[in-house]
Amino acid sequence: MAYSQENKSYIMMKRAMDVAGAGLGILFLSFVFLMIAFLIKLEDPKGPVFFKQKRVGKDGKEFYMYKFRSMVFNAEELLASLLAQNEVSGAMFKMKNDPRVTKIGRFIRRTSLDELPQLWNVVKGEMSLVGPRPPLPREVVEYTDYDKQRLTVIPGCTGPWQVSGRNSVGFHEMVELDIEYIRKRCIQLDIIIILKTIAVLFGSKNAF
């Protein structure tokens, strides 16, 4: 009973922190949003500023996650021809020199600025500031029951994967990091992960 009450308190505090943090982030970073939007349209005017992609959230519920578009407008159509060049293990696709990425796209990916629109997902309650990254439906199809433990909590904009090597960490290592986070999660741990994530904004060599 004590644990249940403690867990309930954590969830309430976490949601309050999410709403406050995301709301302030959208307010104070509005000029950054406008600048990135301008640069994206300047380089590749054919496509939209924002990219939305179906992801899998808590308990397998699907939702649309938002990002600033960092690839050419027809990137999804070109993916099939690049799958054989995947550079990470397991149910993920990452490619360091992905030819679909635009020039401004490389910059906002390296600094993680492409993730800023996910603050809106946080406000909507589909994501949290901290948690496991939400996978693609095609990735979840390959999940084992053990891997699906990642889906027992609300996914996050940042998490243990981002502060532990990001793309240099393989899928199975990512799962272990996420499960460990789920077992130990608390407000103090969330704050530590957020503070560590700030360093990524100055350009992580593992972000691509």
Side-chain angles (χ1 to χ4, degrees), residues 24 29 42 74 115 149 163:
L24 289 172
L29 295 171
L42 184 65
N74 60 338
E115 310 280 1
Q149 292 180 80
V163 299

Side-chain angles (χ1 to χ4, degrees), residues 171-185:
F171 173 74
H172 297 296
E173 291 85 355
M174 181 188 72
V175 171
E176 293 301 328
L177 286 169
D178 286 337
I179 292 175
E180 183 181 9
Y181 164 76
I182 291 169
R183 290 171 180 166
K184 296 181 178 179
R185 62 195 181 122

Side-chain angles (χ1 to χ4, degrees), residues 110-112 163 193-204:
R110 189 172 66 249
T111 55
S112 294
V163 299
I193 290 175
I194 289 172
L195 291 175
K196 287 184 176 181
T197 303
I198 292 173
V200 177
L201 295 177
F202 295 96
S204 170

Side-chain angles (χ1 to χ4, degrees), residues 124-163:
K124 292 171 67 179
E126 297 163 335
M127 293 179 66
S128 174
L129 291 177
V130 181
R133 287 296 291 167
L136 294 162
R138 62 176 171 80
E139 295 172 343
V140 175
V141 170
E142 300 180 37
Y143 276 18
T144 64
D145 288 339
Y146 185 81
D147 299 335
K148 288 178 181 177
Q149 292 180 80
R150 300 185 69 246
L151 307 178
T152 58
V153 298
I154 296 174
C157 297
T158 187
W161 176 61
Q162 282 84 346
V163 299

Side-chain angles (χ1 to χ4, degrees), residues 111-123:
T111 55
S112 294
L113 291 172
D114 63 320
E115 310 280 1
L116 288 179
Q118 288 161 41
L119 293 174
W120 179 239
N121 289 115
V122 175
V123 171

